[in-house]
Structure formats: structure tokens, C-alpha cells
Amino acid sequence: MLKEHAATTATESSHGRMALIFDFDLTLAPSTLDALVRRCGMDPETWKRDRIEPLRMEGWDEILAKSYALVRLSRSGDVRITQDLVAEVGRNLEPYEGTLDMFESMRRTAREVAKDVNLEFYVVSSGLYNVMAATSIARDLDGLWGTKLHFDDQTGELDFPMLTVTHPEKVRYILALCKGLDPTGPNAPAHVYQDVPGDKWHVPLDQVIYAGDGSSDMAVFRFLHDRGGIALGVYKSDQVEGWSGMEQVDPQRRVQNLARTDYREGSELMQSLTLAVESIARKIALRRLSRGE
């Protein structure tokens, strides 16, 4: 008979950390871009049609087109987009109902299953970082990445996008945070793909939950599906049609549940998040047991 724990080298390594990663715009709160454009006195849909679509037709990347259109708006003389104005937009942006209570609820859920488990929260979004960082949500986040704007040192006015996060790049950011690497360092993005031993990862990919609102998250859904993570889809009550036709996409890009953006206790989304957190916490508890911890 084998001695106690003699076979532990045959079991998986144990990590006591898990990550709940969100998109931001239309997932945790309304669109950061729309909120900023509205604060500038313009209708977001009209502005996008008149200012962004022509750039896209010229071949511009969508995220760069949005940033450049903001720069042109600020330079037009109609409104000055400053760092203070953008921060004001963030402070006034209301998260979806129940969002702020969700963080501690999920931490409590994880701890009830696996004592001392560390649940971390992240945002990886193409939305405006400078707006997101000023919201009430930011204080609960362990990391936040988004399209970052640069402001002139002298005038304080918006002058250029400093960093953009395109939809396919979300996978790179998630891989970097899971490996414990900086996705925006001087050698990015290549260094994100360097080999890191499994026991040195910050968070294993199969201990990751991701929630996003649609087509911009498809690459992440596929990535996590292939690596044992959990993907959840969310939608506003009046925008569920945005998910229509999803049954025709690659089955590996599908989510494990689709729920309305309602973070109040007892909602379908909170039930989905709770079950996902419990599932991974139980996996952590099992792995700890297998290692004799």
C-alpha cells in the first residue's frame, strides 16, 4: 500500500487563487464612450454615425477610430475634453443595479467553499480606461485595462490615445494576468507568450471566469472554452437580440449561460456567477486535498 501522500506528484498542482474577469461597457455599466460623448452635449448614436463610421469606411481600426474622433471633437473648439472632465464622467457613471454589492457577495461565496481562497476581480475592456478608473467600481478591482487616453501636460486637453485594447487583444491581457506578467511592458506583446511553469502562474486558466456582453468577447469565450475556464454572456433587457444567431457560430465560442445585466441578489446573473465561483472554489478545495494541504 502506498504511504500517505506518496502519490501526490501524480496529482495536479494547487493554486489558491481564482479570477473573475469582466468586460466593462454594457457588462458592468453603460458605455463609457457614450457617457463621455453625451457629457460633451452630443447624441452618441448620431456622433458615431457622422464621426466614426466614415473613419471605419476608410479602413481605420474601430478602437483607434473612436479615440481619434474624440481627439477631433476636443480640437473642434466646441468642447474641451480634459482629464478633469473625463474623470467627472466616470464619477457620475452609474453601475448596473447590484454591481457594487456583487464583489463582496462573490468573495463570501468563494470562502464558504474553500477557506482562504483568494478571489480577484479584473476588468479587460476596449472601453475608456480614464472613465472606468474614476467609477465607483474601480475600488473593488485588482486590475483594470482599457483604452487609455493621453492629455497634454500644458493644456490638460486630450491629444492622443496612449494605449488601445482591441477586441482580439483581450485574450493577450487575460493570458498575461494569469501568468503574472505585465501585458503593457516595453516588450509587449511578445513577452506575454514566454513559457512560465504551471506552478508559477498567478491564476490557472481553468480557475478563471469571464463575463462579457457579445461579439467583442468571442475570442475570449473560445480561449477559455479550450482551457477549462468559464464564460458567461450578459445582455441588457432591451438588447438580447444582439445575441441572436449565436447558435450558428463555432460551438466552442458559446457561453455557459446568458443572463440579463442584473446583479441584484437572486437574479439569474447572480445565480450564474455564484455557481461559477462555487465550481472553481470546489476545484481548488479538491486540489488542496490531493496535495495534503
Side-chain angles (χ1 to χ4, degrees):
M1 182 176 177
L2 291 174
K3 291 189 292 185
E4 186 178 9
H5 303 317
T8 54
T9 55
T11 62
E12 297 178 345
S13 59
S14 171
H15 293 75
R17 186 180 293 113
M18 57 191 293
L20 182 45
I21 306 172
F22 293 92
D23 187 15
F24 191 94
D25 290 8
L26 308 183
T27 298
L28 293 172
S31 165
T32 52
L33 178 66
D34 287 0
L36 177 56
V37 171
R38 198 173 287 114
R39 173 62 180 81
C40 293
M42 305 185 70
D43 173 66
E45 294 308 314
T46 301
W47 182 77
K48 290 174 188 175
R49 184 195 66 209
D50 296 343
R51 303 297 181 182
I52 295 176
E53 284 307 310
L55 294 174
R56 292 185 62 189
M57 294 297 292
E58 292 176 14
W60 280 70
D61 171 83
E62 181 181 1
I63 307 303
L64 282 172
K66 291 176 179 178
S67 300
Y68 182 55
L70 286 175
V71 172
R72 293 176 70 174
L73 173 61
S74 185
R75 291 177 179 174
S76 68
D78 295 331
V79 59
R80 290 180 67 250
I81 300 178
T82 64
Q83 198 159 3
D84 289 342
L85 183 143
V86 172
E88 174 199 321
V89 171
R91 289 192 298 270
N92 292 327
L93 188 65
E94 290 289 335
Y96 290 136
E97 197 165 6
T99 300
L100 297 180
D101 295 327
M102 175 269 298
F103 296 99
E104 183 53 36
S105 177
M106 291 300 100
R107 292 188 189 99
R108 185 169 58 250
T109 295
R111 291 193 298 264
E112 287 172 354
V113 175
K115 185 180 179 181
D116 299 326
V117 67
N118 186 6
L119 172 57
E120 296 181 346
F121 296 91
Y122 296 90
V123 161
V124 178
S125 173
S126 297
L128 298 176
Y129 171 91
N130 308 76
V131 174
M132 295 186 287
T135 65
S136 54
I137 294 173
R139 63 173 181 260
D140 283 297
L141 300 177
D142 295 280
L144 167 61
W145 290 280
T147 297
K148 188 176 291 189
L149 305 174
H150 182 264
F151 298 86
D152 185 89
D153 293 335
Q154 302 298 320
T155 66
E157 188 173 355
L158 172 65
D159 65 354
F160 208 77
M162 181 177 177
L163 175 72
T164 61
V165 178
T166 63
H167 302 323
E169 282 185 312
K170 291 181 180 181
V171 169
R172 175 168 67 86
Y173 280 79
I174 291 173
L175 182 59
L177 77 84
C178 287
K179 287 185 175 183
L181 302 173
D182 179 4
T184 61
N187 294 319
H191 81 295
V192 169
Y193 298 99
Q194 66 183 271
D195 288 333
V196 175
D199 60 349
K200 301 296 184 184
W201 280 50
H202 186 68
V203 184
L205 286 166
D206 65 353
Q207 292 178 194
V208 171
I209 303 163
Y210 181 84
D213 68 290
S215 59
S216 66
D217 303 295
M218 289 294 104
V220 177
F221 295 155
R222 171 65 184 265
F223 179 70
L224 286 182
H225 178 279
D226 290 347
R227 289 157 180 83
I230 295 175
L232 300 173
V234 301
Y235 66 90
K236 288 187 63 179
S237 57
D238 59 346
Q239 294 180 352
V240 68
E241 68 277 0
W243 286 86
S244 63
M246 294 296 285
E247 68 278 2
Q248 299 176 15
V249 304
D250 183 338
Q252 292 180 319
R253 293 175 184 256
R254 296 186 187 180
V255 294
Q256 280 150 306
N257 196 25
L258 177 61
R260 189 166 63 87
T261 50
D262 179 356
Y263 292 89
R264 291 175 297 178
E265 204 64 40
S267 69
E268 184 176 356
L269 179 53
M270 283 298 287
Q271 292 180 57
S272 302
L273 289 169
T274 297
L275 288 170
V277 168
E278 286 178 346
S279 173
I280 293 179
R282 292 183 188 282
K283 184 186 298 185
I284 291 172
L286 175 59
R287 287 172 173 170
R288 284 176 171 174
L289 184 64
S290 74
R291 305 294 295 186
E293 298 175 18

